[in-house]
């Protein structure tokens, strides 16, 4: 029996699978529940159709995790094709309707004709844990930022001077707001007693914090409408932000513990600007296997820091930012480049040179990030840590 290609349009509760032969003729089209017995039965039925089956699916995790794991456990080759690619490819097939069966058929046919689809591999437990932990951390940081914005909005309505004075992601100002939220309350307690109150709660530099708060209170003697209720809301929001800070700190410990278990920990963290969290996010976004990308150029393209050409006719050399890339990985590259400018003289000189060439700040940082991808790629390839001067290659 000849080879066949099977496409799976994945869903949360059900998947649809279509298997085709080398001519594109459908051999099987079935909707199955996202449960192990049904998926195992589907696998057996598809394998009965041919000696060689190649699979493709439009999700790489989430609701497709069970199906992918079952296939990989049976040594089946599985490829990933993005939903956007399927949507665009569907326009070239007959009919304007959209169904799960049609999408699965498009997936199977694209797998049949294309040779550039990403092959899925069995998950490394450390990488999977880092994906879960870093995703959870991102959710917590997003929720914390939203809560801080609400807190600032409430505080601006009753005490704008205090809102301008502090960074309310820090523990000290948040601790202050759990006890005192209005100008009158801060004036009543005074600088000395407020300093003692903050010191008893282990706030850093309580004298400076109390001084700034009292100065802001002295500049506002007007009680604004809704002040009492707003003060209660500010107290509650400050408590919530402190709780988020605690959760993020505990999660960072878990991330570091799992990251240290990975063989590339020392290599990745040796790069200036790539600390524990960004290094863990790099592994979570790439899977840690550089062989999947083949070259540093492909890794840079996947991370959105390599420009793509947009030439047409007589127009050439027209470069633009890519639209299809991993946003999470780009944030890792961009943020680590920013940190390296502050802490690495070589990165700072490169950035300043690009600025002197007329590039904007963002362009210069992206150029630095692109250069750093080559360095990181070489370090991971050779299994060595970053050094300011690369080791000399011995002549043969």
């Amino acid at each position: 029996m000849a080879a066949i290609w099977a496409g799976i349009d994945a869903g949360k509760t059900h998947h649809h699978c279509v298997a085709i032969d080398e001519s594109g003729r459908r051999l099987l089209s079935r909707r199955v529940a996202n449960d192990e017995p049904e998926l195992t039965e589907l696998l057996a039925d598809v394998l009965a159709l041919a000696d060689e089956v190649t699979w493709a699916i439009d999700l790489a995790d989430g609701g497709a995790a069970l199906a992918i794991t079952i296939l990989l456990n049976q040594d089946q080759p599985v490829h990933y094709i993005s939903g956007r690619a399927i949507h665009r490819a569907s326009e070239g097939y007959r009919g304007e309707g959209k169904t799960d069966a049609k999408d699965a058929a498009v997936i199977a046919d694209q797998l049949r004709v294309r040779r550039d689809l990403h092959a899925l591999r069995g998950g490394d437990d450390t990488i999977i844990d880092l994906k879960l932990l870093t995703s959870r951390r991102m959710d917590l940081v997003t929720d914390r930022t939203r809560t801080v914005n609400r807190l600032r909005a409430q505080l601006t309505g009753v005490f704008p001077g205090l809102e301008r004075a502090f960074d309310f992601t820090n523990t000290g100002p948040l601790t202050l707001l759990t006890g005192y939220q209005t100008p009158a309350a801060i004036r009543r307690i005074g600088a000395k007693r407020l300093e003692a109150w903050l010191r008893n709660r282990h706030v850093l530099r309580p004298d400076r914090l109390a001084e700034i708060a009292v100065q802001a209170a002295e500049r506002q003697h007007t009680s604004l409408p809704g002040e009492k209720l707003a003060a209660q809301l500010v107290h509650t929001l400050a408590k919530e932000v402190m709780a988020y800070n605690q959760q993020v700190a505990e999660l960072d410990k878990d991330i570091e513990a799992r990251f240290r278990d990975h063989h590339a920990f020392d290599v990745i963290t040796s790069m200036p600007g790539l600390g524990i969290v960004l290094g863990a996010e790099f592994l979570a976004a790439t899977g840690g296997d550089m062989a999947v990308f083949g070259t540093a150029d492909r890794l840079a393209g996947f991370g959105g820091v390599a420009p793509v050409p947009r030439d047409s006719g007589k127009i050439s050399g027209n470069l633009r930012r890519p639209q299809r890339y991993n946003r999470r990985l780009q944030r890792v590259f961009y943020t680590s480049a920013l940190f390296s400018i502050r802490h690495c003289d070589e990165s700072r000189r490169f950035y300043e040179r690009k600025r002197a060439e007329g590039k904007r700040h963002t362009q210069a940082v992206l150029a630095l990030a692109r250069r750093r991808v080559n360095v990181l790629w070489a370090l991971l390839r050779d299994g060595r840590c970053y050094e300011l001067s690369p080791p000399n290659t011995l002549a043969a």
Side-chain angles (χ1 to χ4, degrees):
M1 288 185 289
I4 65 173
W5 295 263
I8 298 178
D9 180 58
K12 185 168 65 174
T13 59
H14 291 79
H15 308 316
H16 200 104
C17 177
V18 169
I20 62 174
D21 60 16
E22 60 183 5
S23 66
R25 181 172 60 93
R26 293 191 188 187
L27 304 177
L28 177 146
S29 179
R30 183 186 302 175
R31 184 172 186 260
V32 296
N34 190 17
D35 290 313
E36 185 170 351
E38 287 80 358
L39 292 171
T40 303
E41 181 182 355
L42 172 68
L43 173 61
D45 291 344
V46 174
L47 291 177
L49 298 173
D51 297 324
E52 181 183 349
V53 182
T54 307
W55 302 76
I57 195 164
D58 62 342
L59 286 177
D61 50 23
L66 179 60
I68 293 172
T69 303
I70 290 174
L71 292 173
L72 293 178
N73 287 345
Q74 295 298 320
D75 298 323
Q76 296 295 299
V78 185
H79 295 78
Y80 167 72
I81 180 170
S82 69
R84 176 182 291 188
I86 298 166
H87 175 71
R88 290 182 174 178
S90 296
E91 297 176 356
Y93 291 81
R94 184 173 58 188
E96 297 184 5
K98 181 190 182 305
T99 64
D100 292 344
K102 179 181 178 181
D103 287 345
V106 171
I107 293 171
D109 197 47
Q110 288 294 297
L111 175 65
R112 179 177 66 91
V113 300
R114 292 179 59 172
R115 298 294 181 269
D116 60 342
L117 296 183
H118 175 65
L120 298 178
R121 292 176 169 82
D124 181 328
D125 287 342
T126 300
I127 298 297
I128 293 173
D129 288 350
L130 288 176
K131 285 182 180 180
L132 295 173
L133 291 171
T134 54
S135 295
R136 174 58 179 162
R137 187 185 191 278
M138 190 176 299
D139 291 341
L140 287 175
V141 170
T142 301
D143 291 340
R144 180 179 63 183
T145 301
R146 188 180 298 115
T147 306
V148 169
N149 291 337
R150 291 188 186 126
L151 185 152
R152 285 190 172 278
Q154 290 290 344
L155 192 58
T156 300
V158 293
F159 199 170
L162 191 67
E163 187 275 333
R164 292 193 303 269
F166 294 120
D167 178 2
F168 291 104
T169 59
N170 295 332
T171 302
L174 291 170
T175 303
L176 171 66
L177 291 182
T178 62
Y180 304 94
Q181 307 86 26
T182 64
I186 293 177
R187 284 197 304 272
R188 278 195 302 268
I189 190 173
K192 291 297 182 183
R193 285 196 296 163
L194 181 57
E195 177 185 342
W197 186 86
L198 292 170
R199 181 174 287 107
N200 290 337
R201 285 155 181 78
H202 310 291
V203 172
L204 295 177
R205 299 193 64 187
D207 53 341
R208 180 60 179 161
L209 193 65
E211 179 185 355
I212 294 174
V214 171
Q215 288 176 356
E218 291 293 345
R219 289 194 297 268
Q220 180 178 332
H221 289 265
T222 302
S223 178
L224 301 182
E227 183 179 88
K228 184 176 181 180
L229 178 58
Q232 295 175 0
L233 294 175
V234 167
H235 171 273
T236 301
L237 290 169
K239 286 282 191 181
E240 291 180 8
V241 176
M242 293 178 70
Y244 281 128
N245 286 343
Q246 180 64 30
Q247 292 181 64
V248 170
E250 293 174 355
L251 204 55
D252 285 347
K253 294 179 182 178
D254 295 336
I255 290 173
E256 180 175 0
R258 296 301 290 135
F259 187 18
R260 287 185 180 276
D261 291 339
H262 197 271
H263 63 86
F265 172 82
D266 292 331
V267 175
I268 293 173
T269 54
S270 69
M271 275 283 290
L274 267 179
I276 299 295
V277 174
L278 289 178
E281 289 187 357
F282 170 78
L283 284 180
T286 61
D289 185 4
M290 296 298 101
V292 171
F293 300 97
T295 65
D297 292 338
R298 287 198 64 186
L299 176 62
F302 181 69
V305 295
V308 295
R310 194 174 186 179
D311 299 343
S312 179
K314 297 181 179 180
I315 300 175
S316 62
N318 184 21
L319 301 177
R320 63 173 177 85
R321 291 184 63 184
Q323 295 181 345
R324 291 180 293 169
Y325 57 89
N326 187 299
R327 265 65 178 172
R328 187 176 184 182
L329 186 57
Q330 188 199 54
R331 189 182 70 84
V332 170
F333 288 151
Y334 189 88
T335 305
S336 66
L338 283 176
F339 285 143
S340 72
I341 293 172
R342 302 177 191 173
H343 305 291
C344 177
D345 293 338
E346 185 180 5
S347 295
R348 187 182 306 110
R349 286 193 294 269
F350 181 89
Y351 169 80
E352 291 173 350
R353 185 167 71 248
K354 291 300 177 181
R355 292 285 283 164
E357 293 173 1
K359 294 188 180 295
R360 298 189 301 273
H361 168 72
T362 301
Q363 292 175 320
V365 175
L366 285 173
L368 174 60
R370 175 64 185 90
R371 186 192 191 199
R372 285 165 51 83
V373 169
N374 288 343
V375 176
L376 182 59
W377 174 272
L379 295 179
L380 290 170
R381 179 197 61 198
D382 299 340
R384 60 183 176 87
C385 294
Y386 176 84
E387 297 175 310
L388 202 55
S389 298
N392 295 325
T393 303
L394 298 177

